[in-house]
Amino acid sequence: MLNAEFWLELAKYWGPAIAVLGAWYYHNREQNKLWGQMLENNKAQSAEMIKINADQAKEALESNKVQTAETMRMITAQANQTLENNNKIWSNVFDMYRQQQTQQNEVLKQMLETSQYQGAQLSRMEQKIDTNQFCPLVKKEQNK
């Protein structure tokens, strides 16, 4: 009976503590299982979110590449158009300059012809002066 009394005394003093410890252990084991499941779910959700974010980033990058390529095409087209416009403007400027130079050349030719004519007239007058061929009115007065 010594054994039975020993176990009764032991259960009386340590029974509630052992019961609380057993309950705590069982509860803690269940909580650990729940935490493990939550961590696994979180890990799976995180992996899915990372995959979705990577796909979205890839799509955004592809879209950005397409937009960048389109923007570059537009910029190139605008640059070509600007270059063509500048070429047309300079072509018009050079045409106007050529016309102006042609007109100036014509005016200079006319001035040269006028100068030659005036030179010839002056030479004629000088010859008449040198040979004493005066104006007819002056000749009549000298003859009187």
Side-chain angles (χ1 to χ4, degrees):
M1 214 48 74
L2 189 59
N3 280 341
E5 284 180 22
F6 173 75
W7 289 110
L8 283 175
E9 286 294 319
L10 185 65
K12 186 168 131 181
Y13 288 111
W14 291 100
I18 291 174
V20 169
L21 183 62
W24 175 82
Y25 175 76
Y26 178 76
H27 176 55
N28 191 28
R29 187 178 67 171
E30 293 299 319
Q31 286 296 319
N32 282 337
K33 285 182 184 178
L34 288 175
W35 277 101
Q37 289 175 353
M38 285 174 37
L39 287 175
E40 287 298 321
N41 289 340
N42 192 12
K43 184 178 177 182
Q45 287 176 354
S46 297
E48 186 65 27
M49 290 296 287
I50 290 171
K51 182 180 177 185
I52 290 171
N53 287 341
D55 290 342
Q56 288 175 348
K58 185 177 179 182
E59 288 174 9
L61 182 62
E62 291 297 324
S63 174
N64 192 18
K65 284 181 183 178
V66 170
Q67 288 175 350
T68 303
E70 184 64 29
T71 303
M72 290 303 293
R73 275 188 241 121
M74 287 176 25
I75 289 171
T76 303
Q78 288 175 351
N80 288 337
Q81 185 66 33
T82 302
L83 184 61
E84 288 176 15
N85 290 343
N86 284 341
N87 287 341
K88 288 178 185 177
I89 289 170
W90 281 108
S91 175
N92 290 339
V93 167
F94 288 140
D95 288 343
M96 288 171 43
Y97 181 74
R98 279 190 212 108
Q99 288 176 353
Q100 183 181 12
Q101 292 302 318
T102 303
Q103 290 173 352
Q104 285 179 354
N105 192 23
E106 291 297 321
V107 168
L108 288 174
K109 281 182 184 177
Q110 291 173 358
M111 288 174 68
L112 180 63
E113 288 174 3
T114 303
S115 293
Q116 287 174 346
Y117 177 75
Q118 288 175 349
Q121 292 300 320
L122 286 174
S123 175
R124 216 169 124 214
M125 287 174 64
E126 184 180 6
Q127 182 183 8
K128 285 186 178 184
I129 290 172
D130 288 343
T131 58
N132 274 338
Q133 294 177 352
F134 292 107
C135 177
L137 296 174
V138 173
K139 276 186 182 178
K140 285 182 185 178
E141 289 178 7
Q142 283 182 355
N143 288 338
K144 286 186 182 175

